[in-house]
Amino acid sequence: GYSGGTPAWVEGTVTDLQGRPLAGAQVEIWQCDQAGHYHHPQDGDRADPAFQGFGRVTLGHDGAWRFHTLRPAPYSGRTPHIHLKVRLGQRELLTTQLYVEGDPGNARDFLWQRLDEHGRRTLTRPYVADGPTLRARYALAVAA
């Protein structure tokens, strides 16, 4: 098993701009391991083989998604974040990053700094204790 990091449920909903659940869309996430390495050719073979670092789900009628992963870790020059993409068929509707509320690295992160106040509120959420794990919830609305 994977020994580094704090387990977390990262979950949320995806709706269209009218608030209707985006059933049938896919949500993908990817993130680095606790040492800051991705499962990516540019990162070589340094990523922890016990940490998958990627997930994909298809949204049901309620537009909800959920992944069991780890609280994201920082790496050189970046605050902790999880990459997220929403697709509907062949169309990419959203590519963004999810941030940890209260992380001291946020204010120094060049991408987090570019977010307006609404973007920060939407994409920066608390990771709260839920038994032995953490839970963070994001509500995303996309133009479909």
Side-chain angles (χ1 to χ4, degrees):
Y2 188 75
S3 59
T6 305
W9 286 104
V10 177
E11 61 192 11
T13 55
V14 181
T15 63
D16 65 17
L17 298 180
Q18 289 72 44
R20 293 181 297 242
L22 210 59
Q26 289 192 323
V27 172
E28 297 177 355
I29 64 165
W30 64 101
Q31 72 189 94
C32 66
D33 66 16
Q34 292 299 292
H37 301 298
Y38 286 93
H39 288 287
H40 188 277
Q42 291 178 344
D43 220 345
D45 289 328
R46 298 183 300 173
D48 188 321
F51 180 60
Q52 186 173 320
F54 176 83
R56 179 188 297 131
V57 295
T58 299
L59 302 179
H61 68 280
D62 58 357
W65 55 271
R66 184 169 83 156
F67 296 97
H68 194 236
T69 183
L70 298 172
R71 182 192 189 280
Y75 60 90
S76 60
R78 290 302 317 279
T79 195
H81 62 278
I82 297 175
H83 299 265
L84 179 137
K85 186 181 296 278
V86 178
R87 300 176 198 260
L88 185 59
Q90 296 303 309
R91 295 184 300 139
E92 288 186 14
L93 303 181
L94 176 68
T95 301
T96 193
Q97 295 176 21
L98 307 176
Y99 300 95
V100 180
E101 185 175 286
D103 194 281
N106 291 346
R108 296 186 302 272
D109 189 82
F110 74 103
L111 288 175
W112 191 86
Q113 288 173 2
R114 292 182 193 169
L115 296 171
D116 63 16
E117 191 56 39
H118 173 75
R120 289 180 183 179
R121 276 196 315 272
T122 302
L123 299 174
T124 311
R125 305 296 302 152
Y127 278 62
V128 295
D130 184 2
T133 188
L134 298 173
R135 186 174 302 271
R137 183 161 183 80
Y138 300 83
L140 306 172
V142 298

